[in-house]
Amino acid sequence: GIQVEQSPPDLILQEGANSTLRCNFSDSVNNLQWFHQNPWGQLINLFYIPSGTKQNGRLSATTVATERYSLLYISSSQTTDSGVYFCALSLYNQGGKLIFGQGTELSVKP
Amino acid sequence: EPEVTQTPSHQVTQMGQEVILRCVPISNHLYFYWYRQILGQKVEFLVSFYNNEISEKSEIFDDQFSVERPDGSNFTLKIRSTKLEDSAMYFCASSEGRYAKARGYTFGSGTRLTVV
């Protein structure tokens, strides 16, 4: 089956720092999303980004589908950015189900 | 922005009891899903539902699980005889189309199920 690998698994930042989270995948995808799981367990949809670049405030994401990776950039991090960031994708030949990576656990210190 | 609503947010149940988790998907969405996340692990697909029938299910979704769309708005997940290992966060999701173009999937806030 498809491999979805996220790196790094853990990240500790000082407030105000920038970071880049990476998602590598092993097959062609028709959907890729980044989610933030907050400390209460809620999954917040950050980006729908099967290809190209999008920006939303301090967050931006880039997916290079031909090279099978996606990047999530967090600039000027805040303590509220803490939580787990998941990359999730679906494949052309496997219906619409999302396959999640293991996540990157981010902790932003004041 | 439209939301997927899940109830209850927390449920504690005795092992062997039946539980029903409820979801109200976004009104114009046609595809509905349940996912599960055991504490500290990644989110796993359980089942997808379209046109009043299951379109795909995972190995986790065995005979003790069932889904139903009892009316035009609700989507439920039933676990017939809960086991300790069913303790997890259960997420409902919906999408406009099978491949969720344009906006992707919208997830509910989850139901944290604890089996004791």
Side-chain angles (χ1 to χ4, degrees), chain B residues 37-87:
Chain B
Q37 184 184 30
I38 294 172
L39 186 64
Q41 298 186 21
K42 67 179 180 180
V43 180
E44 300 173 290
F45 168 77
L46 288 178
V47 65
S48 58
F49 191 87
Y50 169 71
N51 200 24
N52 284 321
E53 61 183 24
I54 291 173
S55 50
E56 188 176 2
K57 59 183 180 180
S58 71
E59 293 176 351
I60 304 168
F61 194 87
D62 61 22
D63 290 345
Q64 71 160 345
F65 291 93
S66 63
V67 290
E68 192 178 29
R69 189 157 164 81
D71 53 44
S73 59
N74 291 285
F75 178 51
T76 62
L77 174 69
K78 181 192 292 186
I79 310 175
R80 288 189 183 82
S81 178
T82 50
K83 306 171 191 170
L84 295 176
E85 53 264 37
D86 293 327
S87 295

Side-chain angles (χ1 to χ4, degrees), chain B:
Chain B
E1 188 162 333
E3 291 184 344
V4 174
T5 304
Q6 288 187 243
T7 55
S9 56
H10 295 87
Q11 180 149 2
V12 180
T13 189
Q14 294 275 345
M15 191 169 55
Q17 294 295 305
E18 174 183 287
V19 295
I20 297 176
L21 310 184
R22 292 182 165 79
C23 170
V24 178
I26 293 173
S27 60
N28 65 336
H29 284 189
L30 300 176
Y31 288 80
F32 314 116
Y33 310 86
W34 283 101
Y35 289 78
R36 179 182 83 173
Q37 184 184 30
I38 294 172
L39 186 64
Q41 298 186 21
K42 67 179 180 180
V43 180
E44 300 173 290
F45 168 77
L46 288 178
V47 65
S48 58
F49 191 87
Y50 169 71
N51 200 24
N52 284 321
E53 61 183 24
I54 291 173
S55 50
E56 188 176 2
K57 59 183 180 180
S58 71
E59 293 176 351
I60 304 168
F61 194 87
D62 61 22
D63 290 345
Q64 71 160 345
F65 291 93
S66 63
V67 290
E68 192 178 29
R69 189 157 164 81
D71 53 44
S73 59
N74 291 285
F75 178 51
T76 62
L77 174 69
K78 181 192 292 186
I79 310 175
R80 288 189 183 82
S81 178
T82 50
K83 306 171 191 170
L84 295 176
E85 53 264 37
D86 293 327
S87 295
M89 180 78 99
Y90 288 82
F91 292 102
C92 174
S94 68
S95 65
E96 292 177 70
R98 186 181 188 193
Y99 296 111
K101 295 189 189 304
R103 293 188 186 85
Y105 300 81
T106 302
F107 278 74
S109 298
T111 293
R112 187 173 298 282
L113 176 66
T114 302
V115 182
V116 296

Side-chain angles (χ1 to χ4, degrees), chain A residues 1-4 23-35 47-51 63 65 68 87-101, chain B residues 33 35 45 48 56 95 97-105 107:
Chain A
I2 188 171
Q3 302 293 317
V4 184
C23 173
N24 291 334
F25 44 94
S26 59
D27 210 333
S28 298
V29 299
N30 58 28
N31 176 19
L32 190 147
Q33 287 182 251
W34 282 96
F35 294 92
F47 293 103
Y48 167 78
I49 188 162
S51 63
T63 297
R68 300 183 179 168
C87 163
L89 46 87
S90 62
L91 305 179
Y92 282 105
N93 62 350
Q94 291 193 14
K97 68 181 180 190
L98 282 179
I99 300 164
F100 281 73
Chain B
Y33 310 86
Y35 289 78
F45 168 77
S48 58
E56 188 176 2
S95 65
R98 186 181 188 193
Y99 296 111
K101 295 189 189 304
R103 293 188 186 85
Y105 300 81
F107 278 74

